[in-house]
Amino acid sequence: MLLRRVRDAGLMERRPSYYLVRTAVVVGALLGGWGVFFALGATWWQLLTAVVLGAILPQFAFLGHDAGHRQIFATRRANYLYGLLAGNLGIGVSIGWWTSNHNRHHAHPNTEGSDPDITGVLVHSEERARAERTFRRWIFRYQGWLFFPLVCLEAVSLHNKSIRAVLRGEIPNRLAEGLLLLAHLAGLVVVAFAVLTPAQAVAFLAVHQAAFGFYMGCVFAPNHKGMAVFSPEDTVDYLRRQVLTSRTVRGGWMLDAAMGGLNYQIEHHLFPSMPRGNLRRAQPVVIEYCAEIGVPYHQVGLIDSYRQAVGFLHRIGRFARPRG
């Protein structure tokens, strides 16, 4: 049994020192980035600072992700509190909303009607592409071309969904979550307008959020797009559902850091609570087991992962075109 092999190898054991170092590095990078921002003052060079700061935020998102999966601490409460700081305060995304949404994705990856990650602005099945009659049909038709521009709006979408979840009372501890969201978003706007001219501040915020969203979208894109898509009626066991719908991206330690360990998407989906730092060591165990039971294990390089994902969006988008 795969789980027994992983446990026997000690890969499910928590790694507090790993996360301590990771947290210190990410917080240090953020403080350093804002230090540069204040040192530069009112200048259009701050647009470069906006890109750098926007590229740091996904690292907080990865830490919040790990806390949401209870990879960091032994108790639910400790992970939740950490998630509040990394998610709500760090990047302006509700950890309560995200955890609920993401758990549904993990339970039903690439399953029409059940996976919230494939029910948004892009289409992943022929049936949905053919059935669409609203303006989204145009987006579906050109989604392969629109994908990278659209992911620049990912941060705005995450903020919007988080705020709506708080206002609608869809999450527990809505007061604490709402206050921390407000602290992040209001603090960002106040600092930008306090240091920069109004025009520079608006441009800074737009570039900052676009960089954040683009980075997040580029991390999410290779994970499942172009892999198997199931209907609600399909009966597939847990291991096959996770492996067949996921793609692992080949790379070294730099890619591991840049993608927050999510390049090991198959391993992460099989063992969501496994600490990020153990995913690389789990990979050969998973590959060996999949080979033994005859389940295809899909692994590609980073560039090829984007080619496959965007190619899939192009292919499905064709079904949304008007019939001649």
Side-chain angles (χ1 to χ4, degrees):
M1 184 178 180
L2 179 58
L3 179 57
R4 184 179 299 112
R5 297 184 190 183
V6 167
R7 282 179 172 165
D8 289 346
L11 299 178
M12 298 302 295
E13 297 176 4
R14 289 180 175 79
R15 299 180 57 181
S17 60
Y18 171 90
Y19 281 106
L20 178 63
V21 171
R22 183 71 56 180
T23 301
V25 169
V26 173
V27 170
L30 184 67
L31 293 177
W34 281 112
V36 171
F37 173 85
F38 286 111
L40 287 176
T43 169
W44 286 101
W45 287 106
Q46 293 283 22
L47 296 185
L48 294 179
T49 312
V51 173
V52 173
L53 287 169
I56 292 172
L57 292 190
Q59 295 298 327
F60 282 90
F62 301 148
L63 291 170
H65 166 271
D66 294 356
H69 281 298
R70 305 182 202 173
Q71 296 178 15
I72 304 177
F73 300 103
T75 67
R76 178 197 296 265
R77 179 175 177 79
N79 282 298
Y80 177 70
L81 292 175
Y82 184 96
L84 281 176
L85 295 176
N88 294 60
L89 183 61
I91 62 174
V93 176
S94 163
I95 188 64
W97 165 78
W98 178 87
T99 300
S100 174
N101 189 78
H102 194 61
N103 285 345
R104 286 190 288 137
H105 159 69
H106 267 264
H108 305 282
N110 272 21
T111 303
E112 286 289 342
S114 299
D115 182 357
D117 287 1
I118 64 169
T119 58
V121 69
L122 303 178
V123 65
H124 294 72
S125 68
E126 298 178 18
E127 293 75 14
R128 186 178 169 217
R130 294 181 191 276
E132 185 60 48
R133 292 294 180 268
T134 68
F135 176 72
R136 281 187 176 184
R137 186 180 183 89
W138 182 88
I139 297 178
F140 291 170
R141 192 182 311 167
Y142 300 106
Q143 64 181 4
W145 298 106
L146 293 172
F147 175 74
F148 286 107
L150 283 173
V151 295
C152 291
L153 300 175
E154 179 67 19
V156 176
S157 175
L158 292 171
H159 297 322
N160 176 55
K161 291 175 180 177
S162 296
I163 293 170
R164 289 169 59 189
V166 169
L167 294 178
R168 293 176 178 178
E170 297 173 353
I171 57 174
N173 306 311
R174 62 185 297 202
L175 178 59
E177 293 223 14
L179 289 175
L180 288 173
L181 287 178
L182 180 62
H184 171 86
L185 297 173
L188 182 63
V189 172
V190 168
V191 167
F193 279 90
V195 174
L196 308 175
T197 67
Q200 290 171 351
V202 171
F204 174 88
L205 292 171
V207 172
H208 178 267
Q209 292 299 294
F212 177 25
F214 185 79
Y215 191 146
M216 293 294 290
C218 287
V219 171
F220 294 155
N223 298 345
H224 302 283
K225 290 176 176 59
M227 301 306 295
V229 176
F230 295 118
S231 71
E233 294 75 27
D234 289 325
T235 56
V236 186
D237 64 75
Y238 176 82
L239 184 141
R240 286 170 175 79
R241 182 176 294 275
Q242 304 302 330
V243 174
L244 297 178
T245 59
S246 304
R247 175 191 293 110
T248 285
V249 180
R250 186 185 303 112
W253 69 269
M254 289 186 65
L255 185 66
D256 294 357
M259 297 188 71
L262 295 179
N263 47 314
Y264 298 106
Q265 192 65 198
I266 293 175
E267 289 71 25
H268 171 59
H269 260 259
L270 287 172
F271 307 104
S273 62
M274 178 182 290
R276 186 200 315 178
N278 290 342
L279 293 172
R280 172 179 283 273
R281 294 168 55 202
Q283 186 185 27
V285 180
V286 173
I287 291 176
E288 180 182 35
Y289 187 81
C290 286
E292 289 175 7
I293 64 174
V295 174
Y297 180 100
H298 196 64
Q299 179 180 205
V300 297
L302 181 63
I303 301 302
D304 201 33
S305 74
Y306 291 128
R307 182 187 63 79
Q308 292 182 16
V310 174
F312 166 76
L313 294 176
H314 277 302
R315 290 195 303 274
I316 296 299
R318 294 193 187 104
F319 294 99
R321 292 176 181 173
R323 297 177 183 177

